[in-house]
Amino acid sequence: MLAYERQIVEALLTEEDPALRRAVVDHVDAALAAMPEPIRLGLAAETVALSAWATGRRWTRRSRSPGAQVAWLDVHPVGVVRQWVRALRSLVLFAENEMAP
Amino acid sequence: MSTLDTEVLVVGSGAGGATTAALLAEAGRTATVVEEGPAVDPDALEPFSLEEMVAKYRHRGPAGALGLPPIAYAEGRCVGGSTEINSGLWHRLPAELTDDWRRRYAIDDFEPGVLDRYAAEVEADLGVSTLPGDPPRSSGLLDEAAKALGWRSMEFPRAFRYDDAGRGTKQTMARTYLPRAAAAGAEIVADCRVARLEVDGARARGARCQRTRPDGTVEDLEVRADHVIVCGGAIHSPALLQRSGIRRGIGRGLKLHPTIKIAARFPFTLDHGDVPMHRITEFSPHLTIGGSANRRGHVAMALAESAEPFDAALADWERVSVYYAAIRSVGSGAVIAVPGLASPLVLYRLTPADMSTLARGLVHLGEALLAAGATELYPSVAGGGVARTRADLGRWWDRVTPATANLMTVHLTSSIRMGEDRRRTGTDSYGRVHDFENLWVNDASLLPDAPGVNPQAGIMAIAARNAAAFLA
């Protein structure tokens, strides 16, 4: 999992329990690694672009926190950006809710 | 490198491969089944759970057909293939559809009566039945809604056997046809990926494989065979043939059932351990309404697809269930093996008519769920808004667009069509790859079009028919 992906995944987590959070992050990491290569390559390319874009936004103080970045990604005008965060959210939500006690 | 000699190599152990292997082995042929995924005890994992997804699904769950919009899909990757992870719903191919396919693609010996005969044999072998008692609430409410609206609905039979106490066991390939194949002498090799087929002119000589040993190390395995039958499913059968240099009529025309969903909140608690057996068939075969897996994780994902705030609904998840409208798509797709990559590129193009049918399906599904007593509907459409009344459904018509719709499917077919019309098919009427003497396909790839119903029954009937032709 790339650094920016990890940052967003951690922002998407709602559970407080550190062990559960770690388990979900590990699951997402493994799921991303197991994705079909054409999709994983596309996601990774998008991650690099979004990471650079997010860095620019931080410099302009428009969006510092990971939570604010998720909110920005959720309503992004470019469809593939919304799909990017949708893919990560689906992985997080399913794992978090299935692993929850 | 190890070598293995066999008379018939069957690549894949799902509905097509298991049926083929059992029928050939029982007829005295020496068959070897190679399966890319592991052998998993069918009783070991809870259906539709995270653990099952990790152990039995290809890619640990998520994959996608790229397009506008992209369509998420899931496939099995274990001994038994997708029969180990599906709901077991059973529906013979509609006669009017197969008759149309027979004429359009010039398929010999494909009359409805022929397919029904093989379907009946498979059903008797497998065990196909309806529930012995009352349906679970999540399923029965679809029937109640249909009655309230004056629509047709039915309980679909499933590949299940029930004991005297009414407990059902899904009749997966790992529980049925594969043990039969093994009892008749077939060898089943799990954790064995076929890298490519060995081809010499018009003959396939076998396959180059990588087998993962129990200690995790990988060995090369060469399988030499008199006949090769590829049953890897609608994505991986064409990908394997393309990797082996066989491309004519292979990988084009992929079909699927695009599915749009609603997470519906009710004022009462629902069951969450099974998939509803009832379907609203008023608009079938072009549009079918049914229920999905609805564990807590599925409910969470479905709620999120609406892009609306959903914390309160998720906290109340035991009163939320997930339903869908699935369509027969006019659009089509392609499977393209990419050199150097293990997974193919999968593309799918939905037409404007498809998007319109999906919008119609979403509205009808909303009508049904409100009639069943739902109080909040979260559509898998970003910006669709939560619907609480029939009047709210009206705005969904315009909100289902390629930019907003979140779609998925579990039915993939038609990437190597069968028939004698060589311009539009990849195999002959019985699955033999055009221009080859001993190379066959026998799985969902052969269906000339998406059937509009769960395809397992059709896949197995066609596989049994083709196995009989092979043996004749």
Side-chain angles (χ1 to χ4, degrees), chain A residues 14-15 26-27 30-31 34-39 41 74 79 82-83 86 89-91 93-101, chain B residues 48-50 53-54 59-60 62-64 70 295-298 300-301 304-305 310 314 341-345 403 406-407:
Chain A
T14 60
E15 292 288 339
D26 288 348
H27 169 78
M35 273 184 177
E37 296 103 323
I39 294 178
L41 290 170
D74 272 337
R82 293 195 306 275
Q83 293 290 349
R86 173 200 174 204
R89 177 177 279 117
S90 292
L91 292 170
L93 272 175
F94 189 71
E96 199 173 53
N97 282 278
E98 287 295 303
M99 289 177 181
Chain B
F48 311 112
S49 65
L50 180 67
M53 193 178 275
V54 169
H59 309 301
R60 296 169 67 103
R295 291 170 62 95
R296 181 172 163 179
H298 300 106
M301 283 198 298
E305 303 272 74
F310 62 89
L314 183 55
L341 302 186
S343 299
L345 180 63
N406 294 313
L407 307 179

Side-chain angles (χ1 to χ4, degrees), chain B residues 352-378:
Chain B
D354 289 334
M355 295 308 299
S356 178
T357 311
L358 283 163
R360 180 171 158 239
L362 188 70
V363 171
H364 285 326
L365 175 58
E367 289 171 334
L369 294 170
L370 290 174
T375 54
E376 287 179 1
L377 307 179
Y378 294 76

Side-chain angles (χ1 to χ4, degrees), chain B residues 301-354:
Chain B
M301 283 198 298
L303 287 168
E305 303 272 74
S306 69
E308 297 289 330
F310 62 89
D311 287 352
L314 183 55
D316 195 29
W317 74 273
E318 289 179 322
R319 297 178 184 212
V320 181
S321 198
V322 185
Y323 295 88
Y324 69 80
I327 69 163
R328 283 192 75 216
S329 164
V330 178
S332 66
V335 178
I336 303 165
V338 181
L341 302 186
S343 299
L345 180 63
V346 180
L347 307 172
Y348 202 86
R349 184 184 61 84
L350 287 169
T351 67
D354 289 334

Side-chain angles (χ1 to χ4, degrees), chain B residues 172-332:
Chain B
T172 69
M173 294 303 103
R175 282 198 177 98
T176 56
Y177 276 71
L178 290 171
R180 269 177 58 180
E187 184 176 5
I188 297 163
V189 184
D191 296 307
C192 186
R193 178 177 188 271
V194 177
R196 69 173 194 279
L197 303 177
E198 294 290 342
V199 174
D200 185 6
R203 291 192 63 80
R205 290 189 287 108
R208 293 276 176 155
C209 312
Q210 279 102 40
R211 178 164 57 180
T212 305
R213 299 189 188 96
D215 65 3
T217 58
V218 177
E219 69 167 342
D220 291 330
L221 172 68
E222 181 185 11
V223 182
R224 294 185 295 229
D226 298 332
H227 302 274
V228 177
I229 305 181
V230 177
C231 308
I235 301 298
H236 293 277
S237 284
L240 173 59
L241 292 178
Q242 290 178 4
R243 287 202 302 273
S244 309
I246 305 161
R247 293 183 175 271
R248 187 175 165 279
I250 306 295
R252 291 177 289 134
L254 175 71
K255 286 283 189 171
L256 45 79
H257 292 148
T259 297
I260 195 161
K261 291 189 175 183
I262 291 176
R265 191 175 181 185
F266 290 87
F268 45 80
T269 301
L270 290 155
D271 51 287
H272 289 83
D274 206 348
V275 171
M277 311 82 193
H278 283 87
R279 294 282 181 275
I280 294 176
T281 53
E282 178 69 16
F283 316 101
S284 296
H286 300 291
L287 168 60
T288 304
I289 288 172
S292 297
N294 58 5
R295 291 170 62 95
R296 181 172 163 179
H298 300 106
V299 168
M301 283 198 298
L303 287 168
E305 303 272 74
S306 69
E308 297 289 330
F310 62 89
D311 287 352
L314 183 55
D316 195 29
W317 74 273
E318 289 179 322
R319 297 178 184 212
V320 181
S321 198
V322 185
Y323 295 88
Y324 69 80
I327 69 163
R328 283 192 75 216
S329 164
V330 178
S332 66

